[in-house]
Amino acid sequence: MAEAYREAGAASLTILGVMGEAPKLDQDESLQFLRCVLRHAGGLPAVVGVSAPGYAPMRALAARAMDEGAAAVMIAPPPGLRGDDAALAWLRGAAQAVAPAPWVLQDFPAANGVHLPPRVIAELAADPHCVMLKAEDWPGLDKITALHGMMARGEMRRIAIFGGNSGNFLPEETARGTDGVMTGYAFPEMLVAVRNLILAGRMDAALNAFEPHLPLIRAEIQPGLGLAIRKHVLHRRGILASGALRAPGPRLTAETRAEVDALLARLAQRDPATRRLAA
Amino acid sequence: MAEAYREAGAASLTILGVMGEAPKLDQDESLQFLRCVLRHAGGLPAVVGVSAPGYAPMRALAARAMDEGAAAVMIAPPPGLRGDDAALAWLRGAAQAVAPAPWVLQDFPAANGVHLPPRVIAELAADPHCVMLKAEDWPGLDKITALHGMMARGEMRRIAIFGGNSGNFLPEETARGTDGVMTGYAFPEMLVAVRNLILAGRMDAALNAFEPHLPLIRAEIQPGLGLAIRKHVLHRRGILASGALRAPGPRLTAETRAEVDALLARLAQRDPATRRLAA
Amino acid sequence: MAEAYREAGAASLTILGVMGEAPKLDQDESLQFLRCVLRHAGGLPAVVGVSAPGYAPMRALAARAMDEGAAAVMIAPPPGLRGDDAALAWLRGAAQAVAPAPWVLQDFPAANGVHLPPRVIAELAADPHCVMLKAEDWPGLDKITALHGMMARGEMRRIAIFGGNSGNFLPEETARGTDGVMTGYAFPEMLVAVRNLILAGRMDAALNAFEPHLPLIRAEIQPGLGLAIRKHVLHRRGILASGALRAPGPRLTAETRAEVDALLARLAQRDPATRRLAA
Amino acid sequence: MAEAYREAGAASLTILGVMGEAPKLDQDESLQFLRCVLRHAGGLPAVVGVSAPGYAPMRALAARAMDEGAAAVMIAPPPGLRGDDAALAWLRGAAQAVAPAPWVLQDFPAANGVHLPPRVIAELAADPHCVMLKAEDWPGLDKITALHGMMARGEMRRIAIFGGNSGNFLPEETARGTDGVMTGYAFPEMLVAVRNLILAGRMDAALNAFEPHLPLIRAEIQPGLGLAIRKHVLHRRGILASGALRAPGPRLTAETRAEVDALLARLAQRDPATRRLAA
């Protein structure tokens, strides 16, 4: 998978994030997975998700990840924080726990119920080790613009902002000025192509490349089931040896598998570059 | 608006649902709105949302709505019900409260956190006044299939199942056997056309009609902001005199408005039937 | 009930709050109830809960309540507000909606999931119509102290702070400087007596009066079931003609009723003033 | 601490539960703590909490715990399970993951939002390795009675039911027939004494022993802050070398510490056996 994403044009990798199966791994498996990916990353920098309810497991995993060659770690807050100041305090402590690792802030309230307004993100970005925001609030485009405005006015230290959410708003977020996209959509080459077209000023061509993928993005972005669909597609593409999720996790019914296969068939018509599926 | 949806091919109307601004109306305004819609519905049957935390307001609104000529009422459970049996008991009481009005069960856990498994829906459908399920679980396609299986095996009284969720999975849910779609997407004529094409066995033509709308559906389906986008589009189409939301509610930023207008311009290229926007 | 609470020493009344059955009433019943209470309040000022998801129903009920002679209205935010600024904006709009009625801010995150940090409460208190905070955060004693500190330092306009939560922390919150207690515990005369003893510097006597009630407070404070227990006790005291809750709501099992009756019997031993129960 | 609880009359110990600081430990620390407790348990059986979002970490910790001499493991479901069947399926998988370890089901919806109705608990109890329910639903007394009824009628395999919730309803739950209490209240000798008195038919004496502790139980049961209070009391008793919580976690303000110290002073008056506090 690492090789496939690199060949697809990815400039970096993110692993052990919250959508995938990181919480289902025990500590030894996490480290084994981490080493395996780094070995096959071909020099691409890798961001390693270390989110946990407490600081000690984050500190331990961050230290191991950096020792193994990770470029940065990623932190999302846990559920249950009471208000902006509680979120700010928790995340400041987390940043200290993983220091001196560079860290990425993941803003994904749909997964944890924690809302981070621009002011809180700006205060966290003041930490010189904070290098990036993974912007996954939904709706979230105006927040990206608000943060860019604060950076332009000198009210916030400059950090990179990458979009996420399976690329669901990739054209809009790129036009709003994001610095990249960090998400595991099963056709990463499309994400690369669309960004490059938009940066080259060719929005119509970008939309022509993007829109055929929207029906599949729509399926992959579903809570819970979306991961099973993504792994099925990666398996169909020959990128994963198996599309099965580790328990506990949903299995695709025959009906859903047929629907996803139909989406892939139609995608192959509309975007011929996607035809190279596994036999 | 009632006239526009009727002209677009709607066979019935639903008003005062949970996505719109019903909770922002006082009781007199709700009744005034209800009468106005029924007066302009041109004979289309209308379903009236009556969901409330308690039974008395539901009973009162249901009685008024039926007196005014509504065809049925719609009920969604409130947040905070503890487990399947609590949801079942609450909804049974609600059905008694609105009796003898025919009622539609709205299954929309993203809005209220209440999960209704097929078994609970089947028990509710045993009420002879229960006429329809508005299926808005997400992901929810396998639930539709499960319910159809129970009806086919005689384990559940037959009721209609209509899709919702702004039509986001209209092709798949129609292929799974839904009886209609009940949602306020700003181009209802597309919903009608796509269903008719699928029922005529023309799935490819249906997808050709559907997919150009997916970028806008993706925008309308966003929590909170989506309603502001829908009203903006209805205003652009000349269907609403104003796109403004009643407070409390978000306003579209200039950036978001420009993005939605760009979606409309692109849609007009891809689906020429949508070009009749207001000047 | 209004007469009983007045005779128990209440200096004011609060009705249609969030713990009780206000959401189960239709609009006409709410007004009928409001008029009935005001008629029997014997001149006590009454605060009327007007919380609703939208502003129009709040505006309508607030206007009617003030016309009928209410002293103020009470507002709690609805679930689903995203972060401090969203809560602040929603509540500012609510205050405008009920203006010029004096209003009480109810801070009760256990009921709605909205956390209001001291800074937000201070900004809301700047509204000259904001007269009181009903402090029901849990744990919440340090927040009371923080707010008093802000008022003392001139960082916040002075408003009254009343405790709630069935009096569960009445001694501590009174010692922290609250201005009163606003809660419906079934023996309000105890609340009055305990406050007076503490204000007179007699903490030990206050605790002697308070502690015998803690087993019953513990039962009344339970989510959902607590209201059924309170109404049962008020019925046993002869204050309510019936202890039944309007559906939907729990009924006391025989076991729970026996437990509450045992708590009352023991309370009668320890606090002889509570012996005047209905035959 | 293990020695102190054993001397206080505890017949078994539970460690690494959800109220404490288990999620703040990394894997090595968890094992170190586990070994330390078992070494000092003086032969008391120990239950080890292994709850995690995925099965692999649970399987790994359960295996290590049993190897080290634990008597059983304890499992609570994670947040986010959608309905009764989802909870049942998740917990069945968890039981398989820790097999053949005996396991305790923790029913604590306030911590995870998962409601387990009696039917689901009965289905889980059918697993011969399921040995106990830790009953912490709130309100939850009627659920205990419902489960006992199902066991008496042969509708559910017999398992032990232990109360929790800091002993807040110890008299009532014991009278309802619980088999023990499993909670970390800072004066465990009171829990033992009260149970023994009730089992001896001396309810009045039990209440005389219980009620002086209710003001402190009320403080310890508070979400978040309660653990800091418990550790402070254990420190005051000389049972912990420090009352500090590992970050992230609240610190007691001077005001709260003074309140807890006042509760301890008053408790020492009312229950002389509690006077042995650290100097």
Side-chain angles (χ1 to χ4, degrees), chain D residues 4 21 24 34 41 46 81 85 98 103 129-130 163 174 199 223-224 251 269 274 279:
Chain D
E21 303 193 272
K24 300 180 191 172
L34 167 66
L81 300 175
D85 290 344
V98 302
W103 65 285
H129 293 111
C130 179
T174 306
L199 296 180
R251 290 174 192 285
Q269 291 173 355
T274 65

Side-chain angles (χ1 to χ4, degrees), chain B:
Chain B
M1 189 168 68
E3 289 160 2
Y5 276 72
R6 192 183 63 205
E7 285 170 20
S12 58
L13 297 171
T14 303
I15 57 172
L16 298 177
V18 300
M19 183 188 175
E21 303 193 271
K24 301 180 189 171
L25 304 183
D26 69 27
Q27 185 173 297
D28 292 342
E29 290 171 323
S30 296
L31 290 171
Q32 188 181 348
F33 175 76
L34 167 66
R35 280 188 213 108
C36 175
V37 169
L38 290 174
R39 197 161 57 232
H40 292 275
L44 290 189
V47 176
V48 178
V50 298
S51 301
Y55 294 155
M58 296 171 64
R59 180 183 291 115
L61 183 56
R64 295 298 291 267
M66 298 306 289
D67 282 351
E68 299 285 348
V73 299
M74 184 160 65
I75 301 172
L81 300 174
R82 298 162 47 102
D84 293 6
D85 290 344
L88 180 58
W90 194 94
L91 285 161
R92 275 183 171 149
Q96 288 172 0
V98 302
W103 65 284
V104 175
L105 172 62
Q106 184 177 23
D107 180 22
F108 192 15
N112 49 47
V114 179
H115 297 284
L116 302 176
R119 181 184 65 84
V120 168
I121 295 171
E123 295 199 40
L124 291 165
D127 173 4
H129 292 110
C130 179
V131 292
M132 187 185 293
L133 174 72
K134 184 177 188 192
E136 305 199 279
D137 201 351
W138 183 58
L141 294 168
D142 287 327
K143 188 188 276 189
I144 292 169
T145 298
L147 292 167
H148 283 143
M150 293 175 77
M151 291 193 280
R153 292 190 301 272
E155 298 165 13
M156 173 178 166
R157 183 176 150 269
R158 287 195 176 273
I159 59 171
I161 300 181
F162 274 46
N165 280 332
S166 297
N168 196 35
F169 285 92
L170 176 61
E172 288 85 354
E173 72 196 19
T174 306
R176 298 256 195 162
T178 51
D179 302 286
V181 55
M182 177 200 269
T183 192
Y185 176 60
F187 291 90
E189 56 271 40
M190 180 278 288
L191 305 175
V192 174
V194 167
R195 264 194 71 79
N196 287 342
L197 287 165
I198 295 174
L199 296 180
R202 300 179 55 200
M203 179 55 88
D204 272 355
L207 294 177
N208 289 339
F210 173 73
E211 289 173 357
H213 289 264
L214 201 45
L216 182 59
I217 289 173
R218 173 196 58 145
E220 279 198 13
I221 212 169
Q222 297 179 92
L225 190 63
L227 178 64
I229 291 172
R230 177 174 295 168
K231 291 189 75 168
H232 173 72
V233 176
L234 291 173
H235 175 57
R236 285 287 315 279
R237 297 194 74 188
I239 293 172
L240 287 182
S242 160
L245 261 64
R246 177 176 279 205
R251 290 175 192 285
L252 296 187
T253 59
E255 289 86 354
T256 298
R257 190 178 301 111
E259 283 163 356
V260 176
D261 289 345
L263 290 176
L264 290 174
R266 188 159 169 94
L267 178 58
Q269 290 173 357
R270 299 195 56 201
D271 181 353
T274 66
R275 271 183 208 150
R276 286 174 313 147
L277 297 176

Side-chain angles (χ1 to χ4, degrees), chain D residues 213-236:
Chain D
H213 289 264
L214 201 43
L216 182 60
I217 289 174
R218 173 197 59 147
E220 278 198 13
I221 212 170
Q222 297 179 94
L225 190 63
L227 179 64
I229 291 172
R230 177 175 296 169
K231 290 189 75 169
H232 174 71
V233 176
L234 291 172
H235 175 57
R236 284 287 316 277

Side-chain angles (χ1 to χ4, degrees), chain D residues 118-181:
Chain D
R119 181 184 65 82
V120 168
I121 295 171
E123 295 200 37
L124 291 165
D127 173 4
H129 293 111
C130 179
V131 292
M132 188 186 292
L133 173 72
K134 184 177 188 192
E136 306 199 279
D137 202 353
W138 183 58
L141 295 167
D142 287 328
K143 186 188 277 190
I144 292 169
T145 298
L147 291 167
H148 283 144
M150 293 175 77
M151 290 192 281
R153 292 189 301 273
E155 298 164 12
M156 173 178 166
R157 185 177 148 267
R158 287 194 176 273
I159 59 172
I161 300 180
F162 273 46
N165 280 333
S166 298
N168 196 35
F169 284 93
L170 177 61
E172 287 86 353
E173 72 196 18
T174 306
R176 298 257 195 162
T178 51
D179 302 286
V181 55

Side-chain angles (χ1 to χ4, degrees), chain A residues 12-14 45-50 66 70-75 91 94-96 98-107 121-135 147-148 151 156-163 177-180 182:
Chain A
S12 58
L13 298 171
T14 303
V47 176
V48 178
V50 298
M66 297 306 289
V73 299
M74 184 159 66
I75 301 172
L91 285 162
Q96 287 173 1
V98 302
W103 65 284
V104 175
L105 172 62
Q106 184 177 23
D107 179 23
I121 295 171
E123 295 200 39
L124 291 166
D127 173 5
H129 293 111
C130 179
V131 292
M132 189 187 291
L133 174 72
K134 184 177 188 192
L147 291 167
H148 283 143
M151 290 193 280
M156 173 178 167
R157 184 175 150 268
R158 286 195 177 274
I159 60 172
I161 300 180
F162 273 47
T178 50
D179 302 287
M182 178 200 270

